[in-house]
Amino acid sequence: MKNTQNNIKPVRKAVFPVAGLGTRFLPATKIMPKEMLTLVDRPLIQHAVEEARAAGIEDFIFVISKGKEMLKDHFLPHDGLNKTLASRGKTREIEMLATCEIPEKNLHLAYQDEPLGLGHAVWCAREFVGGEPFAIMLPDDVVLAQTPCLSQMVKAYNKTGGNLVGVMDVPREDTRKYGILDVRSDDGKLADIKGLVEKPDPKDAPSTLSIIGRYILQPEIFEKLSVFEKGAGGEIQLTDAMAKMIGAQPFHGLRFDGRRYDCGHHLGFIEANIAFSMQNANIGAQVKEIIEEITDCNKEKNHAAAR
């Protein structure tokens, strides 16, 4: 079943599942949401929102738990701060803050009261999404790319229609950590999907193509999620619900250009900060010098210890 470009509805809304407690980053996340941790100079959630904006997203839906309203506040005007900055003549800073603001009518909060899984978090956003196709963005997953990942996906979606997920190859031993594609055909860029398996054992994995935290889905997904069927880990899995839509609608995986970093773990977060800071126009050269300095210093220490 194929869509034609004439009946492909545009993607105008994005869901950000950000209800988790961020326990891996305690005590930093005791009060502050994990998504407010900074990747170089901006919170993780802002990186995700900026990527969504670049792809043409107009409405932003944050699925949060109680106490994480700070995520919305970050994108609203701060009159007191702006007044102080204006009194000090800090025009550049005021302009910088304005670029990250979202009109309140376009920023919505949905609450996930229980940690029942990603599928349940997406289901909690159903009233704001309505009957439109929509994107899902996991702020933990950041992609360093010349063209933002979601922009690449929207371009592909505008040709394929249906459902589309961002994918990358992983080592076979890591398939148990991801949703894995069962592929019908693959041209090296776009894979036609005939099945999805959530966190399979490596010996049972149909491929090594894994889904990352970028999705474009049709609203029919909410019907599948409303069954509240529990899958791997006893949670309501988004992958399981997506698998039930295969055959009724086109379903593809896009190998995006760029490198993905998992900021849900300490090492991935550190690695992302290094990679993004090295690409930063203001500090990139100095960061490279610092890394070389530290590397040379460690080499000298290791050499001295070996003597």
Side-chain angles (χ1 to χ4, degrees):
M1 178 179 177
K2 293 185 177 180
N3 283 12
T4 64
Q5 280 189 288
N6 291 335
N7 64 13
I8 295 175
K9 294 182 180 179
V11 181
R12 303 183 306 112
K13 298 180 179 181
V15 173
F16 301 80
V18 289
L21 298 177
T23 52
R24 288 193 185 98
F25 285 89
L26 286 170
T29 52
K30 180 180 178 182
I31 301 297
M32 183 176 68
K34 173 186 62 177
E35 296 78 15
M36 289 299 296
L37 294 175
T38 53
L39 176 53
V40 187
D41 57 351
R42 288 163 289 163
L44 288 169
I45 187 65
Q46 188 172 333
H47 281 272
V49 164
E50 288 177 356
E51 183 182 328
R53 266 182 165 160
I57 297 299
E58 300 169 9
D59 286 288
F60 306 83
I61 304 151
F62 293 174
V63 181
I64 67 170
S65 51
K66 295 291 184 183
K68 298 190 76 171
E69 289 79 8
M70 183 191 300
L71 290 167
K72 179 179 180 179
D73 294 342
H74 176 75
F75 293 98
L76 299 179
H78 192 311
D79 294 336
L81 177 58
N82 285 337
K83 185 177 179 180
T84 299
L85 291 172
S87 69
R88 298 176 181 176
K90 294 187 177 292
T91 306
R92 187 182 68 84
E93 286 79 1
I94 294 172
E95 291 173 350
M96 179 179 63
L97 290 176
T99 61
C100 80
E101 291 174 3
I102 299 174
E104 194 160 9
K105 66 183 178 67
N106 298 112
L107 184 54
H108 315 283
L109 296 184
Y111 285 88
Q112 184 184 26
D113 297 325
E114 296 180 78
L116 298 178
L118 177 58
H120 180 256
V122 172
W123 178 83
C124 290
R126 66 199 181 283
E127 292 182 9
F128 294 108
V129 172
E132 299 185 33
F134 65 105
I136 301 170
M137 300 189 67
L138 307 187
D140 279 2
D141 274 357
V142 295
V143 178
L144 184 57
Q146 285 193 332
T147 301
C149 183
L150 191 63
S151 295
Q152 297 177 49
M153 291 179 63
V154 167
K155 182 179 180 180
Y157 164 81
N158 287 336
K159 296 178 181 177
T160 65
N163 303 279
L164 182 75
V165 291
V167 299
M168 57 180 270
D169 276 296
V170 298
R172 179 160 287 276
E173 60 267 23
D174 288 344
T175 57
R176 58 168 55 91
K177 302 175 184 176
Y178 300 97
I180 300 295
L181 274 57
D182 191 357
V183 175
R184 178 179 292 106
S185 62
D186 185 354
D187 65 7
K189 187 70 175 177
L190 197 66
D192 186 9
I193 301 172
K194 67 177 181 179
L196 295 168
V197 185
E198 180 64 18
K199 299 178 180 176
D201 190 273
K203 63 180 173 57
D204 300 322
S207 76
T208 58
L209 267 183
S210 77
I211 303 171
I212 69 153
R214 299 291 184 275
Y215 311 74
I216 294 175
L217 300 178
Q218 297 300 314
E220 287 79 9
I221 191 71
F222 294 116
E223 297 173 18
K224 310 302 181 186
L225 291 170
S226 65
V227 178
F228 288 177
E229 181 180 339
K230 293 185 178 180
E235 296 183 334
I236 298 167
Q237 297 290 349
L238 181 62
T239 303
D240 294 341
M242 291 192 299
K244 294 176 181 177
M245 297 173 68
I246 296 171
Q249 299 172 335
F251 216 121
H252 294 88
L254 178 72
R255 285 185 173 90
F256 56 91
D257 292 324
R259 179 161 180 181
R260 173 252 190 182
Y261 297 91
D262 182 0
C263 289
H265 298 267
H266 288 89
L267 289 178
F269 182 63
I270 292 168
E271 187 180 12
N273 266 282
I274 293 170
F276 274 72
S277 62
M278 288 176 71
Q279 295 295 318
N280 186 286
N282 296 321
I283 63 171
Q286 293 96 316
V287 170
K288 290 175 185 176
E289 288 176 9
I290 291 169
I291 292 170
E292 287 172 4
E293 229 175 83
I294 293 172
T295 304
D296 290 343
C297 182
N298 286 337
K299 283 180 180 176
E300 289 178 12
K301 287 181 178 177
N302 291 337
H303 182 67
R307 279 189 262 174

